Amino acid sequence: MEALCTLAFVAIFGISLLGIVMRYVFSMPLVWTDELAMVLLLWVVLLTDGLLLSDREQVRFDVVYDLCGPRGRRGIGLLASLAIGVTFLVSLPTIYDYVAFLWRERTSVLDWRLDAVFSCFVVYWVAVIVRAVIQFWQLLRPDWRERVADDAPEENSNILG
């Protein structure tokens, strides 16, 4: 997945560069390059966030978490994973219905169905739910201390990271 997302990011760069060169050097704009780059960026961002980034790599407000001991981190982790998992699970049918509704619409240049373009939202939503369930389960297991020890801040870091 990492290699696929990396290749897609390289493709976004190449497609954008091609569009710029064709527009400003050859005065022959390729309108499809902008649309394809946006679709690829949408997929890369959501797949990378949902499937590749670890919990510590996510943008989060963890000042209180970092100040807590192992039991406090476990409690915060259980509460956070439960809240995120339930929220995303409850909203999943609405996300799916909206994406499914988009089958009627098409992109303006490439004429792609929007349900296919935005299906990455459903993949992302399911990935977030699965990650929340895994995190919740890991914090319920007897070896939960190892999980929160991995999340402990480095000793030489300050409160701002």
Side-chain angles (χ1 to χ4, degrees), residues 10-77:
V10 169
I12 291 167
F13 179 75
I15 291 166
S16 298
L17 192 59
L18 173 66
I20 291 167
V21 168
M22 292 303 291
R23 177 170 296 167
Y24 295 108
V25 175
F26 297 107
S27 297
M28 297 173 51
L30 301 174
V31 292
W32 62 266
T33 58
D34 293 336
E35 192 168 284
L36 182 57
M38 284 189 296
V39 170
L40 284 174
L41 183 63
L42 175 70
W43 274 81
V44 167
V45 167
L46 290 176
L47 291 180
T48 300
D49 184 55
L51 302 174
L52 291 177
L53 295 180
S54 69
D55 291 338
R56 280 309 261 187
E57 293 172 318
Q58 299 287 343
V59 175
R60 63 185 189 175
F61 184 72
D62 56 2
V63 173
V64 174
Y65 183 85
D66 286 347
L67 293 175
C68 290
R71 288 189 189 278
R73 285 193 195 115
R74 181 185 190 200
I76 291 170

Side-chain angles (χ1 to χ4, degrees), residues 22-135:
M22 292 303 291
R23 177 170 296 167
Y24 295 108
V25 175
F26 297 107
S27 297
M28 297 173 51
L30 301 174
V31 292
W32 62 266
T33 58
D34 293 336
E35 192 168 284
L36 182 57
M38 284 189 296
V39 170
L40 284 174
L41 183 63
L42 175 70
W43 274 81
V44 167
V45 167
L46 290 176
L47 291 180
T48 300
D49 184 55
L51 302 174
L52 291 177
L53 295 180
S54 69
D55 291 338
R56 280 309 261 187
E57 293 172 318
Q58 299 287 343
V59 175
R60 63 185 189 175
F61 184 72
D62 56 2
V63 173
V64 174
Y65 183 85
D66 286 347
L67 293 175
C68 290
R71 288 189 189 278
R73 285 193 195 115
R74 181 185 190 200
I76 291 170
L78 285 167
L79 184 64
S81 60
L82 183 65
I84 290 169
V86 168
T87 301
F88 273 66
L89 185 62
V90 167
S91 60
L92 180 61
T94 303
I95 296 297
Y96 178 79
D97 286 346
Y98 182 70
V99 170
F101 169 77
L102 292 174
W103 73 269
R104 304 163 196 183
E105 302 293 327
R106 295 187 167 274
T107 60
S108 58
V109 177
L110 296 172
D111 200 36
W112 290 350
R113 286 179 28 181
L114 286 184
D115 61 337
V117 170
F118 289 103
S119 62
C120 59
F121 277 110
V122 176
V123 174
Y124 171 75
W125 230 254
V126 171
V128 170
I129 294 167
V130 169
R131 288 176 68 147
V133 168
I134 290 170
Q135 181 180 9

